[in-house]
């Protein structure tokens, strides 16, 4: 009964989405508040039924109901409870149900907390959300139903893909989906503005918190996925320029540009047409990522589906929403009035430059990801576009962007003083030069440009510190006065500083790990010693043990440095009998921001085991940076100016009055 109830709830959610997508638009046309308010009630009801459907599938997994095909294919009765729950979205059907449940969640949040929105705008936004939801409910019900029953229920399931039986699966996909799907709100606001033919600074104030929420989750989701690949796959790499990784990076780049563009629009009522276009493109890139994972056009550790029917259905959704929104954009964009003018040397100009580099970098990743697919489809020729292409095209675009980053917050709106800002950034420049000199003096080998890249990271971090010092007048007022000014600063200012500093931190980690990473590969027997970056790693023994649904070979390594014992590392290799496959569980030992990394290979003759060891200097800074960026986003989100919403227009028609 639980499976049937979940399926029925999904059908009811579809019916509500269809009502939500039509009735409020009719109400907006007729200027009927009652019909427009239908959007709010149906969005909340849709959230209820989508949540019940997802809860039903989770219950089926927890109780190991193998009469449901989806549970049989992706679960096992001996699997730990955590992985039974995470297995719900560790497959195509369940992950799509999570996707559409999060979509319903965002629609419900707009309905519940969007009372400060004009009634017609809220009706249009929720109607567009209804269109998107209806399309994906149809997709699930017609091609990817997670509640299908088996005629002859088996006694045991096939188990979840062993690579996915990790705590990372509990965090990475939900965060990524909250980012992907969260951008649907910005898309809905953009389409609603085009339908109404009205966009202003208040619109930017309304859309910015929703975009910021999605950006925070996508930042954390990408970082968690990178760390998961780093320790789970056993290769020691943290980014592979995999097409599906690129599919998550593209909306992040576009969404970052959208956030900065919305700031210009809110403060100066400028860049209206560009901001609308970015909102459309960001969610379009999220849909593209969904297509790449679900269509079967890619073979990847991330890809779920291989059924071409599903790919065609999602391609149809892409064409309707991307093509429809861009057509509406071309039709209505010319009617949107442009806002205030500004000089090239100004904060607006710096943000436009930021947008230029971010969107160009996004286009570079887009071409590098889709060109091989398009070429194979048109000519049958298979080519591979990998790290060399992206490093040579994507990297150089970020150098001028990072150089300009500290200047932006210090420039004045409308017209800035570049010479004055340069003088204020002199301390940051000196700190960067000192960092370059120290790295050159203390390191040997590696890329010649690595010290310069580290200096650039230091410049970005020091620039953020200078910005806050200037705002608080740290060295021009007594400490008490500067502290009071710091407390009075908008949280968004602090958020910007933390987010920019996070990029500098990540850059330093990337450069150090990529340049001075050391590696040892070989076979070892008990009591053999491997020496790596000044550490001695002694293999003590290799033992066997039984896990809940796997058999594990566990190696113990004693780690010493200069004769002093530092700790013990226990990498393992797990064999899952139900799936007839194995995974490598790497062992990590952190020393400050650096790590020792050991993964096991196959067992050799005579009791020897293949090992792969790394010393990765400052590697943890790669992930500390995104966490710092997300923290900056949270600070900005908590800014009172965003929480109170946009100011009400002085003169508004009845249809544009705040919703009740």
């Amino acid at each position: 009964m639980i499976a049937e109830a979940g399926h029925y709830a999904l059908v009811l959610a579809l019916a509500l989405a269809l009502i939500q997508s039509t009735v409020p638009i009719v109400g907006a046309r007729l200027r009927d508040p009652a019909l427009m308010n239908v959007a709010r009630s149906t969005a909340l009801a849709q959230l209820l039924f989508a949540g019940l459907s997802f809860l039903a599938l989770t219950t089926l997994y927890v109780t190991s109901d193998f009469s449901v095909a989806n549970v049989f294919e992706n679960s096992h009765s001996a699997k730990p409870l955590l992985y039974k729950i995470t297995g719900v979205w560790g497959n195509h059907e369940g992950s799509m149900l999570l996707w559409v449940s999060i979509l319903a969640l965002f629609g419900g949040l707009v309905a519940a907390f969007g009372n400060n929105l004009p009634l017609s705008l809220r009706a249009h936004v929720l109607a567009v959300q209804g269109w998107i939801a209806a399309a994906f409910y149809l997709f699930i019900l017609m091609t990817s139903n997670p509640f299908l029953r088996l005629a002859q229920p088996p006694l045991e399931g096939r188990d979840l893909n062993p690579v996915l039986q990790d705590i990372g699966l509990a965090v990475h996909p939900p965060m990524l989906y909250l980012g992907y799907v969260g951008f649907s709100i910005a898309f809905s606001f953009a389409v609603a503005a085009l339908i109404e033919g009205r966009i202003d600074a208040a619109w930017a104030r309304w859309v910015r918190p929703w975009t910021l929420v999605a950006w925070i989750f996508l930042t954390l989701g990408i970082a968690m996925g990178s760390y998961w690949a780093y320790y789970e796959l056993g290769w020691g790499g943290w980014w592979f320029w995999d097409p599906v990784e690129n599919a998550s990076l593209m909306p992040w780049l576009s969404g970052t540009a959208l956030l900065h563009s919305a700031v210009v629009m809110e403060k100066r009522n400028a860049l209206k047409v560009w901001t609308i276009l970015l909102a459309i493109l960001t969610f379009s890139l999220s849909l593209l990522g969904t297509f790449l994972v679900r269509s079967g056009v890619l073979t990847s550790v991330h890809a779920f589906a291989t059924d071409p029917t599903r790919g065609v259905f999602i391609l149809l959704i892409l064409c309707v929403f991307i093509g429809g929104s861009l057509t509406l954009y071309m039709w209505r964009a010319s009617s949107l009035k442009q806002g205030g003018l500004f000089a090239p040397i100004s904060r607006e100009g710096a943000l436009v430059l930021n947008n230029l580099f971010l969107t160009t970098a996004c286009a570079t990743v887009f071409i590098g990801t889709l060109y091989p697919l398009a070429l194979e489809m048109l000519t049958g020729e298979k080519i591979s576009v990998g790290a060399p292409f992206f490093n040579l095209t994507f990297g150089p675009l970020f150098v001028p962007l990072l150089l300009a980053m500290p200047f932006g917050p210090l420039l004045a709106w409308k017209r800035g003083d570049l010479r004055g800002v340069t003088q204020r950034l002199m301390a940051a420049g000196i700190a960067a030069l000192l960092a370059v000199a120290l790295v050159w003096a203390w390191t040997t080998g590696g890329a010649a440009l690595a010290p310069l890249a580290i200096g650039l990271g230091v410049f970005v971090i020091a620039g953020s510190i200078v910005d806050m010092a200037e705002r608080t007048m740290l060295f021009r007022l007594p400490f008490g006065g500067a502290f009071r000014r710091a407390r009075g600063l908008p949280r968004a200012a602090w958020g910007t500083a933390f987010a920019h500093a996070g990029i500098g931190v990540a850059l330093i980690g990337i450069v150090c790990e990529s340049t001075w990473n050391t590696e040892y590969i070989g076979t070892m027997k008990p009591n053999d010693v491997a020496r790596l970056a000044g550490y001695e790693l002694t293999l003590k023994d290799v033992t066997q043990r039984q896990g809940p649904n796997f058999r594990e070979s566990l190696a113990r390594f004693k780690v010493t440095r200069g004769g002093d014992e530092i700790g013990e590392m226990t990498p393992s290799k797990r064999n899952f009998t139900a799936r007839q496959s194995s995974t490598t569980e790497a062992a990590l030992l952190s020393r400050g921001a650096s790590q020792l990394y050991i993964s096991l290979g196959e067992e050799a003759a005579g009791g020897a085991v293949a090992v792969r060891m790394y010393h990765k200097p400052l590697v943890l800074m790669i992930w500390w940076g995104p966490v710092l960026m997300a923290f900056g986003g949270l600070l900005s989100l908590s800014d009172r100016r965003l929480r109170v919403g946009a100011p009400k227009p002085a003169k508004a028609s009845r249809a544009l009055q705040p919703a009740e």
Side-chain angles (χ1 to χ4, degrees), residues 348-377:
E348 297 97 323
L351 292 170
V352 169
L353 185 69
N354 164 283
N355 272 220
L356 176 65
F357 283 112
L358 284 172
T359 51
T360 306
C362 183
T364 298
V365 178
F366 180 86
I367 293 169
T369 303
L370 294 188
Y371 176 72
L373 301 177
L375 186 67
E376 183 179 354
M377 184 177 65

Side-chain angles (χ1 to χ4, degrees), residues 572-585:
S572 68
K573 199 169 184 67
R574 294 177 178 177
N575 291 296
F576 292 77
T577 54
R579 281 272 179 173
Q580 293 296 308
S581 59
S582 61
T583 62
T584 298
E585 302 296 317

Side-chain angles (χ1 to χ4, degrees), residues 247-407:
S248 65
L249 179 61
M250 287 187 287
W252 185 87
L253 292 169
S254 180
T256 306
L258 172 60
L259 276 176
H260 291 83
S261 184
V263 171
V264 176
M265 187 175 162
E266 180 187 338
K267 300 292 185 182
R268 297 282 301 131
N269 202 26
L271 302 184
K272 293 181 180 180
V273 176
W274 177 240
T275 306
I276 289 283
L277 180 61
L278 280 176
I280 292 171
L281 290 179
T282 301
F283 183 60
S284 298
L285 290 169
S286 295
L287 289 178
L288 177 66
T290 303
F291 170 73
L292 290 175
V293 177
R294 314 287 160 188
S295 63
V297 300
L298 294 176
T299 302
S300 166
V301 70
H302 305 85
F304 285 120
T306 56
D307 184 356
T309 307
R310 294 169 175 171
V312 171
F313 201 115
I314 295 184
L315 189 59
L316 220 76
I317 294 175
L318 255 72
C319 291
V320 169
F321 285 103
I322 298 176
S325 58
L326 290 178
T327 301
L328 180 63
Y329 173 79
M330 288 188 292
W331 177 43
R332 299 300 295 261
S334 60
S335 65
L336 299 175
K337 294 181 180 179
Q338 293 297 330
L341 300 176
F342 52 86
I345 304 299
S346 61
R347 191 175 300 184
E348 297 97 323
L351 292 170
V352 169
L353 185 69
N354 164 283
N355 272 220
L356 176 65
F357 283 112
L358 284 172
T359 51
T360 306
C362 183
T364 298
V365 178
F366 180 86
I367 293 169
T369 303
L370 294 188
Y371 176 72
L373 301 177
L375 186 67
E376 183 179 354
M377 184 177 65
L378 295 174
T379 67
E381 181 183 352
K382 291 187 177 182
I383 65 167
S384 176
V385 175
F389 168 81
F390 292 106
N391 292 340
L392 287 173
T393 56
F394 184 84
L397 288 170
F398 259 67
V399 172
L401 176 63
L402 294 174
L403 281 171
M405 188 178 293
F407 287 85

Side-chain angles (χ1 to χ4, degrees), residues 376-575:
E376 183 179 354
M377 184 177 65
L378 295 174
T379 67
E381 181 183 352
K382 291 187 177 182
I383 65 167
S384 176
V385 175
F389 168 81
F390 292 106
N391 292 340
L392 287 173
T393 56
F394 184 84
L397 288 170
F398 259 67
V399 172
L401 176 63
L402 294 174
L403 281 171
M405 188 178 293
F407 287 85
L410 292 168
L411 287 169
W413 292 103
K414 196 172 182 179
R415 185 180 297 278
D417 178 9
L418 184 59
R419 179 179 294 180
V421 170
T422 304
Q423 291 173 346
R424 281 181 280 174
L425 284 172
M426 193 68 70
I430 292 171
L433 290 175
L434 285 174
V436 172
L438 289 172
V439 172
W440 248 318
W442 287 356
T443 59
T444 57
L449 295 178
L452 294 176
I454 290 177
L456 181 57
V458 171
F459 180 62
V460 171
I461 296 169
S464 298
I465 296 171
V466 168
D467 177 32
M468 300 318 295
E470 287 289 328
R471 289 173 182 269
T472 58
M473 302 181 71
L474 181 60
F475 300 109
R476 286 176 281 172
L477 288 178
F479 179 77
F483 181 74
R484 284 191 294 273
R485 284 183 64 88
R487 289 186 61 185
L489 281 179
R491 291 184 185 176
W494 287 104
T496 299
F498 276 108
H500 286 185
I503 293 176
V505 169
L507 176 62
I508 293 172
I510 289 169
V511 173
C512 290
E513 191 279 334
S514 303
T515 306
W516 295 290
N517 170 42
T518 52
E519 179 184 43
Y520 171 88
I521 301 175
T523 56
M524 296 179 68
K525 294 180 179 180
N527 299 318
D528 284 354
V529 180
R531 290 175 175 81
L532 184 72
Y535 294 91
E536 297 85 32
L537 298 99
T538 306
L539 175 59
K540 297 173 71 175
D541 55 45
V542 180
T543 58
Q544 303 291 322
R545 72 177 184 182
Q546 182 65 43
N549 59 333
F550 58 83
R551 183 78 177 167
E552 184 175 40
S553 296
L554 188 73
R556 292 193 305 144
F557 287 84
K558 183 176 73 172
V559 183
T560 58
R561 186 181 179 97
D564 298 326
E565 185 170 346
I566 295 171
E568 187 175 88
M569 300 178 71
T570 55
S572 68
K573 199 169 184 67
R574 294 177 178 177
N575 291 296

